[in-house]
Structure formats: C-alpha cells, structure tokens
Amino acid sequence: MMNFGVGEFRKMESYSSPKSSPRGGRSPVVSRQDSSGTLKTTISLGKNPTIVHSGPFYLMKEPSGEAEITGATNLMAHYGLEHSYGKFSGKKVKEQLSTFLPNLPGCDGMPNMENSTLRSVIEKPPIGGKELHMLSSVQLAGFRLHPGPLPEQYRTLNTTPARKNKNKQKKAKNKDGTPLQDNASQADGVGGLEAAHEKKHKKQKRHEDDKERKKRKKEKKRKKQRHSPEPGTLGATGGVIGVPGPSNLGMPTSVGGIGGPMGGNLMMPTQTSMF
Amino acid sequence: MEQPLENLELHLEMFIENVRQINIIVSDFQPQGQNGLNQKINSLVSGLQEVEKLKNQLGDVYVPFEVFEYIDQDKNPNLYTKDCMDKALTKNEEVRGKIDSYRKFKEHMLVEMYKTFPNEMYQMYRAIRPE
C-alpha cells in the first residue's frame, strides 16, 4: 500500500533517474505533512489494483498568507512620496541639464565629445588607487605656456562666458549710447526739453536727462554761490530746484501735471522754468 | 548622510571653479600669469586629494545607471525621478486593477461553486474555517 499526494506523485515522475527512485528516497510509511492538501489517494497493488480516494478532495489550495503590502494599496501614499510626486507632476520639469546645474560653467552648449560620457567612465574606469602628490617645480615646468590666445580648436570651451560677456557688452553699449542722445538734447537746449517731452515714455532717457539737468543745476548753484553774498537765499532756491531737501517733496506732484504721469524724477519742467 | 554629500558637492564646486579660472588664465596667456597658473594646478591636485578622502564616506550611496544616461544626453536628472514615479504609479494602478479583477472573479467563482457543488463547498468551508 502506498499513500501519497498528487503533488508528490508529480515529483516522482520528474525524477526518472534510478538513483532517485522512490524506494531509495523517503520511506512511504513515514507520515508526512501534506503541503498541497489537494488530493489523497490510496493505491493498492496486487491481483486487483485499485485506487481509493482516502481524503477530502478540495479544488482550492489553502489560501497563502497575504503579503503585508501589495499593489492593492496606494504605494505612493504608503511610502509618503505624494509630496515629491506632486512636486514633479505639478509643474513641467525643464529638460536641459543646465537647469539642474545652473552654477556649472560651460554646461550649456558644451559639445558632447567622444568618450566624455559618464557611462564610459564606468565601463572603462580610469587608473586609480594611486596616491596624489603635489607637483614639484620640475613637474610644473611641463605646464609652462606660450603667451597668446588659445588655438581655434580649444576656443569652443569659452562659448558660454562669451555669451554672458556679449550681453554685458550690449548693456555697456546702451550706456555708451545714451550720452550721445544727451549731448543732442544739450545742444538743443530748450528744444531738447521738447524732445524729451515727446519721448517721455522712454524712462531711461528721462533718467539720463534728469542727471544732466541736475548736473547743470549744481553748476549753476556753484556759480550763484560764488556771486551771491547771501547764503540763506541760496538755500531757499535749492529747495525750489529740487536738490535733496525736504522742500523738494512737493515738487513731483506739481510737475506731474505738466509732464503727465511721471515719477519723482520728473522735475525737469520746473527746472527748465528756472532757466 | 547629508553632510558628506554636501561636503563633496562643495569640493566639486570649488574644483570646477578652479578649472574655470585656469581656463580664463590659459585662454589668453600672459607670461606673468605662469606663477598663478602653477598655483592653480596645484590647487587642482589638492582638490582631487580632498575628493579622494571623501570617497570612503560615500561607500553606501548607490546611483542608478539610467541617471548617467540622462546626464550624458544633456537631460535634467530630475526627469529620471519623474519618469520613475510615473512608471511606479502606473504599475501600482495596473496591479491594483488586477487584484480587484481577481477578487471579483473569486467571488463569482465561489457563488457559482456553491450553486453547483453545495455539499463539497460546505465541507471545504468547514475544513478551512478557523476554529
């Protein structure tokens, strides 16, 4: 009489080698805990071999122990990553590497040279493990350079700073350009004021004109100071003109009526009235 | 863990700054700049020494290979994190859908089996029922 489960029977089938025959294996007499629990049969050999089901027959296995965390739970919430997910999904992440490393010079527009990838560093690691020493003066002699600019082929590395400089140069040009306009306005005199009126929407020009006028005022003051013997009257005029002082505060409002919606800088009409 | 990483970042930034300054010195080299260049080269060496020292403190930091691919392609590595999270969420929803489907299937199956094999199902219920 042999008593075994179906699962075990399958196991025996798979072991076709004589060395692993059931006789040489575990004794069938020894009772074993049935792991599958699916089907128990009793096979009797002899003249009339019979197969008798000796246990209950179940279609299903016993349910296996459930894992603590499965895909049924919201794993993003479980691991507290909702905030991070919201951060990335909420706004569009800019694709360029330079947005991740804004302070890295030469990161933007740097040509991708061959074998300069991080992957190549991992695949073919550089020679390492040696101690690093400071270079001696003899070794530094190898870095003695010829005076002059870099050869063409290496200048690409300077592209990014050059761009920044270009912007600065543009700004500088603007700065340089404005005095020319000022000169023109100076040459025009009162006509220059009219021109300024026409172009009052251009703030920069306004600022520049104001500066010029302030300079002129100061010069006039100095002249007056030289000629006039009464310093008290000078102080009064100073207040009217708009030289820094408390009396100055009311000026822009009165000027605003003339020049339109201009800021505190727009004292030019009153200033010109002084001339 | 944050401190060694911050330290490394600081040293790398200093190293990059040194390289940038060398680039400026070299781009239009003047003979009087040789001493400055030599100092800068030695400061590069000392920078590398510092990075080498920090290596041991960062032995347990693992970076996925894919991140390097993103960087090599001049892409923002945050995109990798975003893609990973998107994939994880999609997979999570997929698996949840499968689990729900299986659960419904099980319920239907039990109902049908109770109808077809009431006795067997009752026996099974008694067998697996916790005492």
Side-chain angles (χ1 to χ4, degrees):
Chain A
M1 294 275 274
M2 289 163 68
N3 193 1
F4 49 82
V6 168
E8 202 171 323
F9 187 66
R10 279 189 195 139
K11 265 186 192 173
M12 283 192 287
E13 274 183 342
S14 64
Y15 293 122
S16 55
S17 155
K19 281 182 184 174
S20 60
S21 68
R23 284 184 188 176
R26 291 183 296 182
S27 166
V29 179
V30 180
S31 64
R32 291 182 297 279
Q33 203 173 11
D34 183 22
S35 59
S36 65
T38 48
L39 179 62
K40 280 185 177 176
T41 52
T42 305
I43 303 169
S44 54
L45 301 171
K47 286 179 185 176
N48 301 316
T50 51
I51 298 172
V52 181
H53 297 293
S54 60
F57 169 71
Y58 300 136
L59 265 179
M60 292 192 296
K61 282 185 182 180
E62 283 180 29
S64 58
E66 270 192 30
E68 283 178 17
I69 309 157
T70 62
T73 54
N74 185 355
L75 295 172
M76 207 68 86
H78 184 266
Y79 288 105
L81 293 168
E82 278 174 321
H83 175 70
S84 305
Y85 180 72
K87 203 173 77 177
F88 284 117
S89 64
K91 59 176 181 179
K92 198 186 174 189
V93 181
K94 287 183 182 174
E95 280 201 13
Q96 290 296 314
L97 179 63
S98 53
T99 54
F100 184 73
L101 298 168
N103 299 324
L104 187 64
C107 181
D108 199 17
M110 182 99 158
N112 245 346
M113 287 179 280
E114 273 183 38
N115 299 325
S116 71
T117 57
L118 289 170
R119 178 163 278 274
S120 67
V121 174
I122 293 157
E123 283 171 355
K124 290 176 187 174
I127 301 160
K130 290 182 180 177
E131 206 175 331
L132 294 163
H133 296 289
M134 295 298 231
L135 298 176
S136 63
S137 55
V138 181
Q139 287 167 323
L140 281 170
F143 292 93
R144 194 164 290 156
L145 300 180
H146 295 290
L150 269 181
E152 282 277 334
Q153 70 226 43
Y154 304 113
R155 276 183 207 170
T156 49
L157 295 170
N158 288 331
T159 48
T160 317
R163 272 184 206 164
K164 283 177 186 171
N165 289 339
K166 271 181 190 173
N167 290 334
K168 281 178 187 172
Q169 279 169 0
K170 276 180 188 174
K171 282 177 188 173
K173 273 180 189 174
N174 285 336
K175 280 177 186 173
D176 293 338
T178 41
L180 286 174
Q181 290 161 359
D182 290 342
N183 290 340
S185 64
Q186 269 182 350
D188 288 342
V190 182
L193 178 77
E194 286 168 7
H197 255 295
E198 284 170 7
K199 297 172 184 176
K200 61 188 172 187
H201 57 280
K202 292 181 182 175
K203 280 186 181 176
Q204 267 197 334
K205 281 183 184 176
R206 260 187 249 149
H207 283 293
E208 295 295 330
D209 287 344
D210 286 343
K211 280 178 189 174
E212 286 296 317
R213 284 195 180 90
K214 275 182 185 175
K215 276 182 189 176
R216 272 189 243 164
K217 264 189 230 169
K218 279 181 185 176
E219 280 171 17
K220 283 207 168 189
K221 263 191 187 177
R222 278 176 205 160
K223 281 177 190 175
K224 278 183 183 177
Q225 274 177 346
R226 278 178 207 161
H227 295 294
S228 66
E230 295 170 10
T233 50
L234 265 181
T237 49
V240 174
I241 292 167
V243 177
S247 57
N248 201 357
L249 292 168
M251 290 297 290
T253 48
S254 62
V255 171
I258 304 163
M262 295 169 165
N265 288 328
L266 303 171
M267 297 176 228
M268 358 182 284
T270 46
Q271 287 164 17
T272 45
S273 69
M274 288 290 293
F275 289 101
Chain B
M1 194 61 242
E2 274 181 20
Q3 209 166 352
L5 275 175
E6 281 170 7
N7 218 355
L8 176 71
E9 196 178 333
L10 185 75
H11 278 95
L12 286 177
E13 278 177 3
M14 280 160 60
F15 186 82
I16 290 165
E17 178 56 22
N18 261 327
V19 173
R20 195 184 68 83
Q21 287 177 10
I22 287 176
N23 185 27
I24 292 166
I25 295 170
V26 165
S27 59
D28 192 8
F29 189 69
Q30 303 299 322
Q32 61 267 28
Q34 187 64 55
N35 281 335
L37 177 67
N38 290 351
Q39 280 176 7
K40 286 285 163 198
I41 289 168
N42 266 330
S43 63
L44 276 191
V45 178
S46 64
L48 287 172
Q49 283 172 339
E50 291 296 324
V51 173
E52 175 84 9
K53 276 180 204 167
L54 288 169
K55 189 177 76 174
N56 299 327
Q57 297 174 29
L58 300 160
D60 55 345
V61 175
Y62 296 95
V63 182
F65 269 115
E66 288 83 355
V67 175
F68 297 137
E69 277 175 21
Y70 273 69
I71 296 168
D72 286 340
Q73 289 165 13
D74 203 25
K75 281 183 184 172
N76 188 343
N78 278 336
L79 281 174
Y80 171 76
T81 315
K82 184 179 179 288
D83 291 350
C84 273
M85 291 188 119
D86 284 340
K87 272 185 202 169
L89 193 72
T90 312
K91 196 77 187 167
N92 191 181
E93 283 170 358
E94 240 174 61
V95 173
R96 190 159 40 176
K98 276 186 187 175
I99 289 170
D100 282 348
S101 302
Y102 275 121
R103 198 170 283 153
K104 282 174 188 168
F105 173 71
K106 185 187 166 186
E107 284 165 14
H108 281 296
M109 186 92 169
L110 280 173
V111 169
E112 292 302 318
M113 280 176 70
Y114 269 113
K115 283 180 192 168
T116 318
F117 308 107
N119 293 331
E120 284 83 352
M121 288 303 287
Y122 178 69
Q123 278 179 13
M124 186 202 75
Y125 171 74
R126 287 195 66 185
I128 65 171
R129 189 185 63 173
E131 293 299 326

